[in-house]
Amino acid sequence: MEKVVKIKSIGQVTHDVKQFIVEKPEGYEFTPGHATEISINQEEWKDEKRPFTFTSLNEDDHLEFTIKIYPDHDGVTEQLAKLKEGDELIVRDNWGAIEYKGPGYIIAGGAGITPYISMLRDLKKKDKLAGMNLFFSNKTDKDIILKEELDSMLGENATYVITDQQDTKHTNAYLNEEFLKSNISDLSKQFYVCGPPEMTEEINKTLKNMGADTDAFQLDDQ
């Protein structure tokens, strides 16, 4: 399935993250945490498909994508940054990236938070956020995506880990074995991991060595 949809609005989330609100094809449904392949409806880009997770809710009358722009990659996200309201994207069937399997720990790096935005919004709507904990790693404070909303949903259960800013207001650390062992108290819970491939692989390996099962999704290089 391929459907051409118009961009209804574009918002700036952080200095390098944009939010795209697009038309929703009739009858289109997805599970929070799932993804679809998107391309730009322009001759030279329509076959350049990239996976992005939905950040809207299934019952919304639109689709929303929260996308980190990589201007130095000369790729799809750089082209997405040039689009405006009324331009068109192509969306396709959706598929399972990550989905809710019970309370536990979300461990995300950078744009790796995006699969969980829809999942957390859905849990909030159903009043099922109890037992969810977030460890969200970014280079600097200004890189944190949707911090106010995450705070409103998770409160003290949201921990922001900053790697490259010494004067951060948050936890200056890395999501390494030492951090995970110090901050995870219940290995029987669900573990949801998403981020750059190297980070995801390392965290998965550490968690498995600790005795946990993980549900992981690696971010593609856009």
Side-chain angles (χ1 to χ4, degrees):
M1 181 212 85
E2 291 191 353
K3 293 286 186 182
V4 175
V5 294
K6 277 197 168 101
I7 297 173
K8 299 172 77 171
S9 67
I10 301 173
Q12 198 76 32
V13 180
T14 71
H15 63 102
D16 63 356
V17 174
K18 288 181 178 285
Q19 178 194 75
F20 295 83
I21 305 258
V22 306
E23 294 172 332
K24 184 177 184 179
E26 187 175 350
Y28 195 88
E29 295 185 348
F30 63 90
T31 299
H34 283 196
T36 185
E37 285 192 324
I38 290 178
S39 57
I40 299 166
N41 193 30
Q42 296 172 359
E43 195 58 42
E44 65 272 34
W45 289 100
K46 64 182 182 181
D47 293 325
E48 291 290 332
K49 306 168 189 175
R50 296 293 185 276
F52 294 106
T53 48
F54 306 96
T55 52
S56 47
L57 293 174
N58 186 49
E59 55 266 33
D60 290 342
D61 63 358
H62 60 268
L63 299 177
E64 178 190 290
F65 301 94
T66 303
I67 298 174
K68 185 169 183 176
I69 306 300
Y70 297 90
D72 56 340
H73 288 197
D74 192 27
V76 170
T77 66
E78 182 188 29
Q79 296 304 312
L80 284 169
K82 298 175 182 177
L83 299 181
K84 59 189 185 301
E85 185 180 322
D87 286 339
E88 295 176 339
L89 302 178
I90 302 170
V91 299
R92 297 166 176 85
D93 289 330
N94 62 84
W95 42 272
I98 283 171
E99 60 186 73
Y100 181 69
K101 295 179 180 176
Y105 297 89
I106 293 171
I107 303 173
I113 191 65
T114 54
Y116 305 114
I117 293 169
S118 178
M119 191 173 93
L120 289 169
R121 287 173 174 172
D122 186 56
L123 291 174
K124 180 183 179 182
K125 189 167 186 178
K126 295 173 179 175
D127 198 23
K128 291 185 176 179
L129 280 170
M132 294 302 298
N133 297 271
L134 171 66
F135 298 124
F136 186 15
S137 177
N138 287 275
K139 289 181 179 178
T140 69
D141 292 357
K142 70 176 183 177
D143 295 315
I144 301 173
I145 297 169
L146 296 174
K147 181 181 180 299
E148 287 185 10
E149 184 176 2
L150 292 171
D151 283 343
S152 72
M153 290 192 287
L154 296 169
E156 293 182 353
N157 290 334
T159 300
Y160 303 99
V161 179
I162 303 298
T163 59
D164 295 3
Q165 180 183 338
Q166 294 299 316
D167 64 345
T168 177
K169 299 179 291 184
H170 307 293
T171 303
N172 190 214
Y174 289 91
L175 292 178
N176 54 21
E177 182 176 1
E178 179 185 3
F179 179 90
L180 295 174
K181 284 184 173 178
S182 298
N183 288 276
I184 290 170
S185 57
D186 188 350
L187 292 168
S188 69
K189 293 283 185 74
Q190 292 290 327
F191 287 84
Y192 306 92
V193 183
C194 186
E198 188 175 325
M199 177 203 125
T200 306
E201 287 170 14
E202 190 62 34
I203 289 174
N204 264 348
K205 182 180 173 183
T206 299
L207 288 171
K208 284 175 181 174
N209 287 340
M210 290 168 62
D213 290 326
T214 66
D215 185 11
F217 178 59
Q218 294 184 1
L219 288 179
D220 280 4
D221 189 359
Q222 309 298 338

